[in-house]
Amino acid sequence: MHSSILFASALVAGAIAMPHLNPHLSNRRNIVTEVEVAVETVVVVVTVTAGEDQATSTSSCISTTAVASSSPVAAPSSSVFSQPPTPTPTPEDHPKHASPTPQPSAPPDTHVKGPKEAYLSFGPEYAAAMLYHHNAARANHEAEPLTWDDACESNARLAAQRCNFKHYLLHDAGQGQNLFTVTGEAFNATAGVTESWYKGEMEPMMPWFGKTDVPDDVFHEVGHLTQLVWKGTTKVGCVSIDCGDKMIVGGAPSKMNKFTVCNYAPAGNVEGGYAANVVAPLSKSHLGGWAD
């Protein structure tokens, strides 16, 4: 697996995402330990309509991907993706620095569609929404649906509660990890999954479906998507936390404090396993949306 960490900067309603990768790779992909990351974000003003009301809001976010290693690692990279504007229903109250444990057995009928999804951060509705968006993407690549996993959620919570936008995984966890953080009142966790990690990386991945491996420079643009739809991954657990004024991004305090962490087991992005685990999409145009 790759042992590098990816950064992405967004144009519309900016976002940061980071993929985390498996350490069991050739030496050429295992030399990174920890480096400073330069984060580029673009903040724009958007106007959206919710019901009969209109409102103007701003949002920025970032995301990245990674997999279990004895210590967090970080290597800068960049790609561009788009995220929908932040919706404007009345936000719910969310706890800072911690969130209640989502119920892993959340039934499908707890999935709430529409603008409310942007504000979900804990509980059965949150778990159901995150599962729905993961599994909708996976179905388009003939991958079996994921189930919610307590161990993945627990390890995701360990990383999220650090309020530091870098990967944090126990060396023996055997899990992958995606990170996403955003400014504003909404967590936009489902947008992180569908708009950033999935749709935002589809185009650069298109020439590489069916290939045994992807080169490092390409991986830096597709690592979130490949973990998301990896056939060998069967479990997921996510945590979203409001870090308030404690959030650190690139080693510095940041207002991008609505922090989402998803852990996956078994970890994907295994070198040499891409052809078998990441197949071409059944549809290239019907890829879903954050409010589905």
Side-chain angles (χ1 to χ4, degrees):
M1 296 182 181
H2 301 266
S3 61
S4 60
I5 293 179
L6 318 182
F7 259 91
S9 60
L11 290 182
V12 182
I16 302 178
M18 190 180 290
H20 187 194
L21 308 156
N22 195 308
H24 303 296
L25 287 180
S26 59
N27 289 337
R28 68 186 178 86
R29 295 183 181 178
N30 266 330
I31 60 174
V32 176
T33 54
E34 183 173 341
V35 299
E36 289 297 321
V37 178
V39 180
E40 176 188 358
T41 62
V42 178
V43 182
V44 298
V45 177
V46 296
T47 301
V48 297
T49 301
E52 298 179 355
D53 298 325
Q54 289 190 335
T56 300
S57 61
T58 61
S59 178
S60 296
C61 50
I62 53 178
S63 64
T64 186
T65 292
V67 151
S69 62
S70 57
S71 62
V73 295
S77 175
S78 65
S79 61
V80 176
F81 59 85
S82 296
Q83 182 191 350
T86 303
T88 57
T90 301
E92 302 169 352
D93 292 333
H94 298 292
K96 291 188 177 182
H97 313 303
S99 60
T101 302
Q103 299 300 315
S105 59
D109 60 5
T110 61
H111 173 51
V112 176
K113 296 184 179 182
K116 182 179 179 181
E117 289 190 72
Y119 293 95
L120 295 176
S121 64
F122 63 89
E125 290 183 352
Y126 170 82
M130 296 300 277
L131 278 174
Y132 175 88
H133 284 270
H134 276 86
N135 290 334
R138 290 176 64 84
N140 197 33
H141 297 263
E142 303 180 75
E144 293 295 317
L146 302 177
T147 58
W148 197 267
D149 181 68
D150 289 343
C152 286
E153 180 194 353
S154 177
N155 285 332
R157 190 175 304 279
L158 290 177
Q161 289 179 335
R162 291 166 62 88
C163 291
N164 192 341
F165 192 74
K166 61 168 57 180
H167 294 290
Y168 181 80
L169 278 164
L170 302 178
H171 73 280
D172 58 351
Q175 297 175 3
Q177 185 177 82
N178 280 1
L179 308 181
F180 180 81
T181 195
V182 61
T183 61
E185 295 179 340
F187 285 83
N188 281 314
T190 61
V193 176
T194 297
E195 307 296 337
S196 173
W197 299 341
Y198 184 51
K199 293 166 65 176
E201 299 185 0
M202 181 63 72
E203 183 176 354
M205 185 62 196
M206 288 305 300
W208 298 95
F209 287 113
K211 305 293 185 182
T212 301
D213 201 5
V214 294
D216 286 350
D217 59 334
V218 175
F219 175 77
H220 290 174
E221 299 181 350
V222 303
H224 309 95
L225 182 154
T226 53
Q227 171 61 88
L228 183 63
V229 305
W230 194 268
K231 284 190 172 185
T233 295
T234 60
K235 305 172 185 177
V236 66
C238 302
V239 173
S240 292
I241 287 179
D242 183 345
C243 288
D245 60 0
K246 305 298 183 182
M247 189 67 191
I248 300 296
V249 174
S254 174
K255 293 182 179 180
M256 305 176 80
N257 55 14
K258 302 298 189 298
F259 190 24
T260 294
V261 180
C262 289
N263 278 28
Y264 305 86
N269 291 335
V270 181
E271 189 173 36
Y274 287 83
N277 287 279
V278 184
V279 303
L282 298 174
S283 173
K284 299 176 184 178
S285 57
H286 295 88
L287 304 180
W290 65 270
D292 289 348

